Amino acid sequence: MSYPEPPEKTNSPDFLGLDNLGLGILLYSYATLLGAAYVFGFWRVFGLDIFPFMSPLDYVSAPLNRMLVLIAVPLLFAVIFFGARGSLEREKSSKAALYLVGLYAAAFLSQEYQAVRRFMDFEFAFRNEISVLFITAVLFLGGIWFGYWIYKKRENVHIQIASLLLLQVALSMSAGYSDGKAIFNGAGNVMFLDNKTLCEEKGVRDWVLVGKFTDHTFFMNTIDKRLCITAEKNYKLISRMYKEGL
């Protein structure tokens, strides 16, 4: 009697001990991690611990204007999926991972240069603000180090994941800091609060929209950089470019 041969054992995506639901949870958790890195970098500029004001959904939605942040998660999990299969797929996965390392390294260096420039262009900075630039640099160097080992050990998908994860987190945090510093320094594409009395009775200074989460909206005074936190849902915004004819 002949028995069917057992299926070839492959290092499939469930090598992490996850089914489709577990992988989906991991995907959401990683998106949350990138969002938290972006939010941390962004709000460190304003000297505010923003995390108590945020809901789980806010972590994912905060960096939606950043295309590289958006595509980071599917790219990473594509490496997991294809790198977990046969030897040919693993070879292709390692080459793709190396290209992605180069892409994210170039994007980070460009973003970090912009962040450093914005840090140096404005004379005021909170005491621990520079820690963001230090953390992103350490994450970047760690990602490059793992990238070197991708070249040395091409079929090790865990090294590929580690390299891309560190570079993506570094890029997200640097992008968040750069965006926050641009608003703090007076970006031209911001939105002003039309009804100024919402933040200050008989106020004459403009208030810039800094961020909006599930239950709170944050504005910053354009003169003394004070923050206004409100739960009001009904307010009107006006573009700075429109208001000042930029």
mmCIF file of all heavy atoms in Angstrom, residues 188-205:
data_model
loop_
_atom_site.group_PDB
_atom_site.id
_atom_site.type_symbol
_atom_site.label_atom_id
_atom_site.label_comp_id
_atom_site.label_asym_id
_atom_site.label_seq_id
_atom_site.Cartn_x
_atom_site.Cartn_y
_atom_site.Cartn_z
ATOM 1 N N GLY A 188 3.866 77.324 6.092
ATOM 2 C CA GLY A 188 2.914 78.089 5.299
ATOM 3 C C GLY A 188 1.630 77.357 4.983
ATOM 4 O O GLY A 188 0.640 77.971 4.600
ATOM 5 N N ASN A 189 1.602 76.032 5.156
ATOM 6 C CA ASN A 189 0.428 75.252 4.759
ATOM 7 C C ASN A 189 -0.442 74.849 5.945
ATOM 8 O O ASN A 189 -1.168 73.850 5.884
ATOM 9 C CB ASN A 189 0.864 73.990 4.014
ATOM 10 C CG ASN A 189 1.766 73.099 4.850
ATOM 11 O OD1 ASN A 189 2.312 73.541 5.856
ATOM 12 N ND2 ASN A 189 1.910 71.851 4.450
ATOM 13 N N VAL A 190 -0.358 75.607 7.044
ATOM 14 C CA VAL A 190 -1.142 75.269 8.226
ATOM 15 C C VAL A 190 -2.553 75.845 8.116
ATOM 16 O O VAL A 190 -2.869 76.645 7.223
ATOM 17 C CB VAL A 190 -0.466 75.799 9.506
ATOM 18 C CG1 VAL A 190 0.873 75.123 9.726
ATOM 19 C CG2 VAL A 190 -0.305 77.311 9.445
ATOM 20 N N MET A 191 -3.403 75.436 9.079
ATOM 21 C CA MET A 191 -4.778 75.937 9.154
ATOM 22 C C MET A 191 -4.937 76.735 10.438
ATOM 23 O O MET A 191 -4.490 76.317 11.510
ATOM 24 C CB MET A 191 -5.770 74.771 9.131
ATOM 25 C CG MET A 191 -5.662 73.861 7.919
ATOM 26 S SD MET A 191 -6.100 74.685 6.366
ATOM 27 C CE MET A 191 -7.867 74.896 6.585
ATOM 28 N N PHE A 192 -5.606 77.895 10.325
ATOM 29 C CA PHE A 192 -5.869 78.738 11.482
ATOM 30 C C PHE A 192 -7.283 78.479 12.006
ATOM 31 O O PHE A 192 -8.191 78.120 11.243
ATOM 32 C CB PHE A 192 -5.765 80.226 11.120
ATOM 33 C CG PHE A 192 -4.357 80.707 10.924
ATOM 34 C CD1 PHE A 192 -4.081 81.722 10.016
ATOM 35 C CD2 PHE A 192 -3.308 80.168 11.640
ATOM 36 C CE1 PHE A 192 -2.791 82.182 9.827
ATOM 37 C CE2 PHE A 192 -2.014 80.622 11.455
ATOM 38 C CZ PHE A 192 -1.755 81.633 10.553
ATOM 39 N N LEU A 193 -7.440 78.667 13.301
ATOM 40 C CA LEU A 193 -8.763 78.622 13.917
ATOM 41 C C LEU A 193 -9.477 79.930 13.616
ATOM 42 O O LEU A 193 -8.977 81.006 13.945
ATOM 43 C CB LEU A 193 -8.623 78.417 15.431
ATOM 44 C CG LEU A 193 -9.917 78.425 16.250
ATOM 45 C CD1 LEU A 193 -10.809 77.251 15.860
ATOM 46 C CD2 LEU A 193 -9.588 78.377 17.745
ATOM 47 N N ASP A 194 -10.633 79.832 12.963
ATOM 48 C CA ASP A 194 -11.350 81.042 12.571
ATOM 49 C C ASP A 194 -11.985 81.726 13.782
ATOM 50 O O ASP A 194 -11.941 82.951 13.909
ATOM 51 C CB ASP A 194 -12.423 80.685 11.535
ATOM 52 C CG ASP A 194 -13.016 81.919 10.885
ATOM 53 O OD1 ASP A 194 -12.252 82.836 10.529
ATOM 54 O OD2 ASP A 194 -14.252 81.983 10.733
ATOM 55 N N ASN A 195 -12.586 80.946 14.674
ATOM 56 C CA ASN A 195 -13.204 81.498 15.876
ATOM 57 C C ASN A 195 -12.176 81.495 17.004
ATOM 58 O O ASN A 195 -12.064 80.536 17.773
ATOM 59 C CB ASN A 195 -14.425 80.663 16.271
ATOM 60 C CG ASN A 195 -15.121 81.207 17.500
ATOM 61 O OD1 ASN A 195 -14.863 82.345 17.915
ATOM 62 N ND2 ASN A 195 -15.985 80.411 18.100
ATOM 63 N N LYS A 196 -11.411 82.579 17.133
ATOM 64 C CA LYS A 196 -10.309 82.631 18.081
ATOM 65 C C LYS A 196 -10.769 82.564 19.531
ATOM 66 O O LYS A 196 -10.006 82.142 20.404
ATOM 67 C CB LYS A 196 -9.505 83.918 17.860
ATOM 68 C CG LYS A 196 -8.939 84.059 16.462
ATOM 69 C CD LYS A 196 -8.262 85.402 16.280
ATOM 70 C CE LYS A 196 -7.814 85.610 14.843
ATOM 71 N NZ LYS A 196 -7.199 86.939 14.641
ATOM 72 N N THR A 197 -12.003 82.981 19.813
ATOM 73 C CA THR A 197 -12.477 82.988 21.193
ATOM 74 C C THR A 197 -12.653 81.589 21.756
ATOM 75 O O THR A 197 -12.837 81.421 22.955
ATOM 76 C CB THR A 197 -13.821 83.731 21.289
ATOM 77 O OG1 THR A 197 -14.781 83.093 20.431
ATOM 78 C CG2 THR A 197 -13.659 85.179 20.877
ATOM 79 N N LEU A 198 -12.581 80.582 20.891
ATOM 80 C CA LEU A 198 -12.665 79.207 21.378
ATOM 81 C C LEU A 198 -11.484 78.882 22.281
ATOM 82 O O LEU A 198 -11.612 78.118 23.240
ATOM 83 C CB LEU A 198 -12.698 78.233 20.193
ATOM 84 C CG LEU A 198 -12.788 76.741 20.528
ATOM 85 C CD1 LEU A 198 -14.112 76.428 21.222
ATOM 86 C CD2 LEU A 198 -12.644 75.908 19.267
ATOM 87 N N CYS A 199 -10.335 79.475 22.000
ATOM 88 C CA CYS A 199 -9.137 79.218 22.790
ATOM 89 C C CYS A 199 -8.778 80.375 23.725
ATOM 90 O O CYS A 199 -8.049 80.169 24.698
ATOM 91 C CB CYS A 199 -7.947 78.949 21.866
ATOM 92 S SG CYS A 199 -7.952 77.297 21.139
ATOM 93 N N GLU A 200 -9.255 81.564 23.412
ATOM 94 C CA GLU A 200 -8.877 82.726 24.220
ATOM 95 C C GLU A 200 -9.960 83.789 24.111
ATOM 96 O O GLU A 200 -10.280 84.240 23.013
ATOM 97 C CB GLU A 200 -7.528 83.275 23.744
ATOM 98 C CG GLU A 200 -6.986 84.424 24.571
ATOM 99 C CD GLU A 200 -5.635 84.902 24.066
ATOM 100 O OE1 GLU A 200 -5.354 84.737 22.859
ATOM 101 O OE2 GLU A 200 -4.858 85.447 24.876
ATOM 102 N N GLU A 201 -10.529 84.149 25.248
ATOM 103 C CA GLU A 201 -11.570 85.162 25.265
ATOM 104 C C GLU A 201 -10.998 86.500 24.789
ATOM 105 O O GLU A 201 -9.960 86.955 25.269
ATOM 106 C CB GLU A 201 -12.130 85.320 26.678
ATOM 107 C CG GLU A 201 -13.385 86.176 26.754
ATOM 108 C CD GLU A 201 -14.580 85.537 26.075
ATOM 109 O OE1 GLU A 201 -14.612 84.300 25.979
ATOM 110 O OE2 GLU A 201 -15.486 86.283 25.651
ATOM 111 N N LYS A 202 -11.659 87.084 23.795
ATOM 112 C CA LYS A 202 -11.221 88.344 23.191
ATOM 113 C C LYS A 202 -9.804 88.232 22.628
ATOM 114 O O LYS A 202 -9.035 89.183 22.642
ATOM 115 C CB LYS A 202 -11.293 89.494 24.200
ATOM 116 C CG LYS A 202 -12.686 89.774 24.720
ATOM 117 C CD LYS A 202 -12.686 90.934 25.705
ATOM 118 C CE LYS A 202 -14.088 91.214 26.225
ATOM 119 N NZ LYS A 202 -14.102 92.327 27.199
ATOM 120 N N GLY A 203 -9.489 87.051 22.165
ATOM 121 C CA GLY A 203 -8.156 86.830 21.635
ATOM 122 C C GLY A 203 -7.950 87.517 20.297
ATOM 123 O O GLY A 203 -8.867 87.608 19.486
ATOM 124 N N VAL A 204 -6.747 88.008 20.078
ATOM 125 C CA VAL A 204 -6.429 88.681 18.820
ATOM 126 C C VAL A 204 -5.365 87.927 18.034
ATOM 127 O O VAL A 204 -5.196 88.147 16.834
ATOM 128 C CB VAL A 204 -5.950 90.131 19.075
ATOM 129 C CG1 VAL A 204 -7.080 90.953 19.664
ATOM 130 C CG2 VAL A 204 -4.739 90.149 19.994
ATOM 131 N N ARG A 205 -4.633 87.036 18.712
ATOM 132 C CA ARG A 205 -3.593 86.268 18.035
ATOM 133 C C ARG A 205 -4.199 85.052 17.344
ATOM 134 O O ARG A 205 -5.225 84.533 17.756
ATOM 135 C CB ARG A 205 -2.526 85.815 19.042
ATOM 136 C CG ARG A 205 -1.870 86.959 19.808
ATOM 137 C CD ARG A 205 -1.170 87.936 18.882
ATOM 138 N NE ARG A 205 -0.477 88.982 19.618
ATOM 139 C CZ ARG A 205 0.133 90.015 19.061
ATOM 140 N NH1 ARG A 205 0.148 90.143 17.750
ATOM 141 N NH2 ARG A 205 0.734 90.926 19.797
#
